[in-house]
Amino acid sequence: MRKYFFFSILLLQSLLINAQDIVQSGPMVGYSTMKEALLWVQTTKSAEVHFEYFEKSNPKKRFKTEKYTTEKKYGYVAKLVADEILPSKKYVYEVYVNGRKVKRNYPMEFQSQTLWQWRTDPPEVNFAVGSCNYVNEKEVDRPGKPYGSEHEIFESIHQKRPEFMLWLGDNTYLREVDWNSRTGFLHRYTHTRSLPEMQPLLASTHHYAIWDDHDFGPNNADGSFAMKKTASEVFKLFWGNPNYDVINKGGITGHFQWADLDFFLLDNRYYRTSNYNHTEERQMLGKEQIDWLINVLSFSRAPFKFIAIGGQFLSSEAMHENHAIFQNERNYLIQKIREAKIEGVIFLDGDRHHTGLSMMQESDRVPPIYDLTCSSLTAGAHFNKEELNVYKLKETLVGEHNFGMLKVSGPRKERVLTIQILDKDGKELWTKNIKAKDLKYRRSRR
């Protein structure tokens, strides 16, 4: 009897250890709405996965997602929807692999969005932004000093407890051994997502993402890239946006809302003309994507309309991967924003391995447009004076690893955006307040 008891204990311990070991990365929290949220996890081999969750204030009433068996061809990724949630609630969740609960020594939580309309002022919103995340892999990296460093920045972001994080591209860096095969794509995304310092942040902060060249393909990759459909497929596997390809042209264009804010997620790679092809009309976004953007911006009533794009938009420097090298298209988009009298426009982008804020205001008859470039999280960083960028606010230039914390607060008609840039340890480098009313057209008096 005693032998049977000890055997049972050993078997149970073995099953529990196996459940922990079989998780490759995650769990991660994806999008959130008032009625559902996305939960994500990756296993090391084929396994049956489900999540259980409950209100933080009522742990006795539990809910379960559907069960899903992970498969090698899909990177052993499980994406499951918690669809029995209510607005304005905080939830605790648990991951079950082959029927056994996975334990973690950090919180695994998510929240539903707040139902505030017709009831109260919109809630305060706090979210993180960043770009350019390089996780070293010595065997395939270039010789010399490792390009990625100071990965503890993800612990600093987690300590700020943002409600969600918006990843602004180059979220992983495909190497030469990766971008010519589906196997390579899956390996690189898995390798980056498995970074230990990132796991607590993934587990209790909602995540949204766009891409840039390094998580799309080779450096400076464009619409001619042969593996772009694979790039799109793998990106969708590893991220939890609520929608993709809203213009039905391929790629990852999307949109989400949080409280009274709108976020427009643009694709600057799938439709892009080569940087060096000057034999035809050149584009980064394409007319269909821009026309969709202007239409949905016109519909939006958000006090701040955040447009996320992989490369710098406002900068007048026609170099590197800036939109200024596609001058006609950039001017067309600005012209359409002005013609439609769209207010509250804030561009969010990365790519440049330094951070800086730009502001364009052609005259006092139009409101300013802002562009926050936030880079780099862990990839090589350097200081850049942006000497040819006439729109830069030079006091905001940062040349070290950093991230942004953005807060929108105040009553519905007096919303204020606070941009705070912090270093790898979470110490403030600079902060700036932008009032929504200052981004409006002046109404003439009759």
Side-chain angles (χ1 to χ4, degrees), residues 366-407:
V366 298
I369 296 173
Y370 282 93
D371 181 343
L372 174 64
T373 301
C374 192
S375 175
S376 162
L377 287 166
T378 64
H382 57 268
F383 185 78
N384 190 310
K385 294 182 179 180
E386 295 197 17
E387 292 177 346
L388 300 180
N389 178 15
V390 299
Y391 305 114
K392 69 178 180 293
L393 303 178
K394 62 181 181 180
E395 70 275 11
T396 67
L397 296 174
V398 172
E400 60 186 280
H401 290 146
N402 69 94
F403 64 97
M405 284 295 301
L406 278 62
K407 178 177 73 173

Side-chain angles (χ1 to χ4, degrees), residues 6-25:
F6 282 117
F7 176 77
S8 299
I9 293 295
L10 289 171
L11 179 61
L12 179 60
Q13 289 177 338
S14 175
L15 289 170
L16 288 172
I17 291 171
N18 182 257
Q20 318 306 315
D21 290 347
I22 211 171
V23 173
Q24 173 67 44
S25 65

Side-chain angles (χ1 to χ4, degrees), residues 142-415:
R142 296 179 184 180
K145 182 181 178 180
Y147 194 55
S149 65
E150 299 183 333
H151 298 97
E152 64 269 23
I153 194 170
F154 295 112
E155 297 168 349
S156 297
I157 299 173
H158 177 57
Q159 289 170 6
K160 297 298 179 182
R161 297 297 191 271
E163 293 168 85
F164 63 93
M165 180 168 177
L166 176 53
W167 298 70
L168 296 172
D170 292 341
N171 313 310
T172 189
Y173 275 70
L174 294 162
R175 320 290 208 265
E176 290 83 357
V177 299
D178 301 322
W179 60 59
N180 288 318
S181 69
R182 194 171 183 279
T183 299
F185 270 87
L186 290 172
H187 170 78
R188 184 56 48 209
Y189 272 73
T190 297
H191 180 265
T192 300
R193 184 59 56 82
S194 302
L195 182 73
E197 292 91 337
M198 198 187 295
Q199 303 312 304
L201 175 64
L202 295 174
S204 59
T205 296
H206 294 270
H207 294 273
Y208 301 84
I210 59 170
W211 63 19
D212 198 23
D213 50 348
H214 293 294
D215 30 14
F216 173 76
N219 186 40
N220 299 347
D222 55 56
S224 68
F225 180 45
M227 297 290 288
K228 67 181 185 179
K229 289 185 178 180
T230 299
S232 181
E233 178 195 356
V234 175
F235 183 90
K236 294 172 187 177
L237 269 179
F238 278 79
W239 291 108
N241 296 352
N243 48 67
Y244 302 91
D245 188 21
V246 295
I247 62 173
N248 297 314
K249 294 288 183 179
I252 61 164
T253 309
H255 166 258
F256 73 94
Q257 293 179 307
W258 198 285
D260 59 335
L261 310 175
D262 275 320
F263 294 81
F264 308 94
L265 310 180
L266 300 188
D267 186 331
N268 68 331
R269 293 292 158 184
Y270 206 88
Y271 321 105
R272 186 187 188 109
T273 306
S274 168
N275 292 353
Y276 315 106
N277 181 2
H278 296 271
T279 65
E280 58 185 57
E281 187 66 27
R282 293 166 51 72
Q283 65 179 39
M284 176 189 286
L285 302 173
K287 188 175 185 298
E288 293 93 340
Q289 189 172 196
I290 291 176
D291 289 349
W292 166 82
L293 176 63
I294 295 301
N295 203 36
V296 73
L297 283 169
S298 300
F299 178 80
S300 172
R301 301 276 70 86
F304 296 105
K305 303 169 182 66
F306 295 99
I307 303 173
I309 182 172
Q312 272 191 310
F313 177 75
L314 273 190
S315 174
S316 57
E317 291 186 319
M319 59 177 61
H320 306 299
E321 293 279 274
N322 293 352
H323 210 151
I325 68 174
F326 299 88
Q327 193 68 48
N328 290 343
E329 183 183 78
R330 175 177 168 276
N331 292 344
Y332 174 77
L333 176 50
I334 293 170
Q335 176 189 340
K336 289 297 181 181
I337 288 174
R338 293 312 193 193
E339 286 179 0
K341 295 191 180 305
I342 296 165
E343 303 171 330
V345 174
I346 310 283
F347 282 87
L348 301 173
D349 46 57
D351 175 62
R352 292 299 306 277
H353 297 256
H354 69 274
T355 283
L357 186 65
S358 297
M359 190 270 282
M360 170 189 282
Q361 188 173 22
E362 303 93 306
S363 73
D364 59 6
R365 293 177 300 169
V366 298
I369 296 173
Y370 282 93
D371 181 343
L372 174 64
T373 301
C374 192
S375 175
S376 162
L377 287 166
T378 64
H382 57 268
F383 185 78
N384 190 310
K385 294 182 179 180
E386 295 197 17
E387 292 177 346
L388 300 180
N389 178 15
V390 299
Y391 305 114
K392 69 178 180 293
L393 303 178
K394 62 181 181 180
E395 70 275 11
T396 67
L397 296 174
V398 172
E400 60 186 280
H401 290 146
N402 69 94
F403 64 97
M405 284 295 301
L406 278 62
K407 178 177 73 173
V408 178
S409 58
R412 182 172 64 87
K413 295 184 178 181
E414 299 177 19
R415 298 291 261 174

Side-chain angles (χ1 to χ4, degrees), residues 35-74:
K35 298 290 286 184
E36 65 180 43
L38 181 72
L39 302 174
W40 182 102
V41 73
Q42 183 185 30
T43 59
T44 59
K45 59 184 179 181
S46 182
E48 184 186 79
V49 174
H50 79 277
F51 295 87
E52 298 187 10
Y53 56 100
F54 51 87
E55 282 184 41
K56 212 169 181 180
S57 59
N58 185 14
K60 292 184 178 180
K61 189 174 183 181
R62 299 173 66 90
F63 306 93
K64 295 181 180 181
T65 67
E66 295 180 344
K67 294 179 179 180
Y68 179 81
T69 300
T70 60
E71 300 179 65
K72 181 179 180 180
K73 66 178 179 179
Y74 299 121

